[in-house]
Amino acid sequence: MPFFNVREAGGMADPLHDEAATVAALAQVGAAAGPYLGSLADRPVHDPAAAGKLAGLTGPLPEDGEGTAEAVRRLLDIGTATATASSGPRFFHFVTGGATPAALAADWAASLLDQNSFARVSSPFAHETETVALDWLRDLFGLPAGWGGALVAGATFANFTSLGCATQWWGERQGADTVRDGLSGLPRMPVLSGGYVHASARKALQMLGHGRAAVEVFSRDDVGRVDLDALEARLAGLAGAPAVIIANAGEVNAGDFDPVDALAGLAERYGAWLHVDGAFGLFAALSPRSAPLVRGIDRAHSIAADGHKWLNVPYESGFALIREPARLGTAFGMPGAAYLPGPQDPGGGYGLYGPESSRRARSLPIWATLAAYGRQGYRAMVERHLDLAQHLAARVDEAPELERLAEVPLCIVCFRVSAPGVPEEELDRWNRAVGEALITDGRVFCGTTVYGGRVALRPAIVNWRTTETDIDLFVDVVRELAARTRPQLP
Ligand SMILES: *Cc1c(COP(=O)(O)O)cnc(C)c1O
């Protein structure tokens, strides 16, 4: 019996088994793709004039639906007008990648095939694709064979997955089974990091029951650079009790790095677990120019990174890489349901090696983009972004009213608008005004941060579409808006 909004008589309907209607709806999306993608290079990142269209989404839940074609038409009409063009070349806020052609097409294919990547038993195809995708990622970043991992929704979940394994390891070191018994009765797990630690690592610790205050920060300045001596003194003070170190490979304000190699040395000397948050910074490994920034990652126990940032695959895509992959099944298996395989069973799979159980085949866009462009394609993209970041830094340096606040080791340029005689609080206010004006203006997109106590802009360049013209436009728009919002001196 058909059940998709068939009105009894005469109403519009989507008869079941009318595949032509499905294919027609997919064709609607395909037809919208060309104009939308074609507009990305020039459209405003954010079009305030289109915001009124969002009202078209609201209304009561329909009793009788309007049918596939009309629903999809309306959604595309509103979406292509109001979407943030963050997959375009001029979105420099957060750290936001776009989608390569192969990744975008493969992401559509993931919906078409609608696999449950829970386990081999639910989809041998998705399982095999994930195994290959993870191994290609491992290889891309120069990690030795034997490492394994899991694809997750983003780096927050990659931090969660990694620190979940670390928690299981930490319990084991003191004869406890945290997977079975939780944390009760145990001391707090010591987690040591520098000031670059990302909010999502704290969130992961909060979700794992350690509490976000579990992180002990050892920082030697107001920017957050790690204080290795103080961190080592704390490790020594633990007198052999196991601890977790978080190294930050790519910090979000200026793209700076903790000295991973030195932290790996400390982890080895004191028997600690080393976790590296390399959400975007892990991609430094792809170019000989930036690879020294991640020297030592192969000595880590776990690494978290994002696919939806510098790999340029669509949301949601992150991955955790683990030196001893068997820990994933130990930490995230769910034995005891008779109808499900266990992590060690031949029918088992990635739903038992990470936090999610039923999951979409997010391996497909990763596999496709790596198959399409290869190691050299990604190296070339990263190097182009390194060049663009240096170009932006040079443009900032030559503009009298722009002041660069940090070195540019990777893909982020941290700077502010500034002028002689303007007091610091007034500079902060001015920079916030420029940040707000940028977002309202919409031609380019960038947010503010506070770096070393000063309000600053921090554009991040990780989108494959971005060109030097986009960077030049960004600088021109910032200078124009800085002039417009410039404080009047008494
Ligand atoms: C973006 C980011 C995260 C969080 O990633 P999500 O994909 O948003 O979950 C974690 N760490 C760093 C350093 C990041 O840049």
Side-chain angles (χ1 to χ4, degrees):
M1 199 185 103
F3 56 89
F4 279 127
N5 62 47
V6 176
R7 287 183 189 151
E8 287 304 320
M12 110 346 272
D14 280 0
L16 263 191
H17 305 306
D18 180 0
E19 298 305 2
T22 311
V23 172
L26 293 174
Q28 284 177 274
V29 183
Y36 182 73
L37 295 172
S39 74
L40 279 177
D42 299 308
R43 71 188 286 137
V45 173
H46 166 71
D47 182 4
K53 278 202 133 183
L54 292 175
L57 295 167
T58 55
L61 169 70
E63 283 307 324
D64 297 303
E66 60 200 332
T68 304
E70 180 54 16
V72 171
R73 188 201 63 74
R74 283 210 296 138
L75 190 66
L76 285 169
D77 178 52
I78 298 168
T80 52
T82 61
T84 304
S86 50
S87 56
R90 300 199 304 269
F91 189 92
F92 304 113
H93 204 354
F94 313 113
V95 182
T96 301
T100 67
L104 177 56
D107 198 64
W108 288 15
S111 290
L112 171 69
L113 302 174
D114 192 24
Q115 300 293 283
N116 183 354
S117 320
F118 168 66
R120 288 183 196 84
V121 67
S122 57
S123 173
F125 165 62
H127 183 87
E128 190 57 25
T129 314
E130 183 155 352
T131 301
V132 175
L134 281 163
D135 201 53
W136 283 357
L137 290 169
R138 172 199 66 71
D139 192 359
L140 186 66
F141 302 115
L143 296 167
W147 281 62
L151 300 182
V152 291
T156 301
F157 266 92
N159 279 328
F160 177 86
T161 306
S162 301
L163 293 168
C165 289
T167 302
Q168 184 273 328
W169 163 89
W170 169 78
E172 190 181 87
R173 287 287 314 275
Q174 39 203 338
D177 182 349
T178 59
V179 176
R180 190 189 57 201
D181 301 325
L183 302 173
S184 66
L186 293 171
R188 193 169 220 182
M189 181 172 89
V191 183
L192 285 52
S193 190
Y196 287 163
V197 64
H198 192 264
S200 71
R202 292 183 196 274
K203 178 174 174 176
L205 290 163
Q206 138 195 352
M207 291 192 285
L208 286 161
H210 299 292
R212 64 169 174 263
V215 188
E216 303 172 34
V217 171
F218 300 89
S219 181
R220 64 186 155 87
D221 60 21
D222 58 359
V223 162
R225 291 182 185 89
V226 65
D227 183 338
L228 284 175
D229 292 339
L231 194 145
E232 175 163 16
R234 172 64 174 141
L235 284 170
L238 285 167
V244 174
I245 300 173
I246 300 179
N248 305 287
E251 150 281 343
V252 291
N253 285 328
D256 195 18
F257 285 69
D258 283 338
V260 180
D261 217 28
L263 289 168
L266 289 180
E268 283 160 12
R269 192 161 334 134
Y270 293 93
W273 178 285
L274 178 64
H275 170 62
V276 175
D277 180 350
F280 63 93
L282 186 58
F283 287 74
L286 271 57
S287 164
R289 278 153 62 187
S290 46
L293 296 168
V294 289
R295 189 177 296 130
I297 52 167
D298 54 328
R299 298 162 75 192
H301 298 82
S302 56
I303 301 175
D306 261 319
H308 54 225
K309 289 177 181 167
W310 222 341
L311 193 63
N312 279 255
V313 305
Y315 292 100
E316 305 147 339
S317 182
F319 51 93
L321 298 172
I322 307 288
R323 193 205 291 183
E324 301 173 283
R327 290 202 185 272
L328 288 165
T330 308
F332 295 103
M334 40 179 185
Y339 79 111
L340 297 177
Q344 293 355 311
D345 292 349
Y350 291 98
L352 302 157
Y353 309 155
E356 297 154 281
S357 301
S358 298
R359 1 186 341 267
R360 77 189 256 104
R362 53 172 70 102
S363 57
L364 270 57
I366 296 175
W367 183 94
T369 201
L370 291 174
Y373 315 116
R375 194 193 306 275
Q376 296 308 333
Y378 272 93
R379 171 184 293 186
M381 181 190 69
V382 165
E383 293 193 337
R384 202 152 43 75
H385 291 152
L386 297 177
D387 290 341
L388 290 175
Q390 294 305 322
H391 175 71
L392 174 51
R395 292 284 323 263
V396 166
D397 291 348
E398 74 198 23
E401 79 284 28
L402 302 182
E403 176 191 5
R404 193 147 57 81
L405 298 180
E407 295 301 308
V408 181
L410 202 66
C411 59
I412 299 178
V413 181
C414 185
F415 71 98
R416 66 174 178 174
V417 300
S418 172
V422 182
E424 278 295 321
E425 323 84 69
E426 200 54 32
L427 282 178
D428 283 353
R429 201 204 53 77
W430 186 12
N431 278 276
R432 282 198 202 287
V434 171
E436 281 159 25
L438 275 168
I439 285 175
T440 332
D441 180 88
R443 280 175 288 171
V444 297
F445 214 86
C446 171
T448 56
T449 188
V450 177
Y451 185 75
R454 297 184 283 189
V455 175
L457 300 168
R458 44 149 316 277
I461 305 165
V462 292
N463 187 305
W464 70 275
R465 293 178 184 271
T466 302
T467 65
E468 203 167 284
T469 313
D470 301 309
I471 300 296
D472 289 339
L473 177 71
F474 172 76
V475 175
D476 294 345
V477 172
V478 168
R479 296 186 69 181
E480 180 190 317
L481 297 177
R484 198 189 297 162
T485 52
R486 190 182 177 113
Q488 303 301 314
L489 289 182

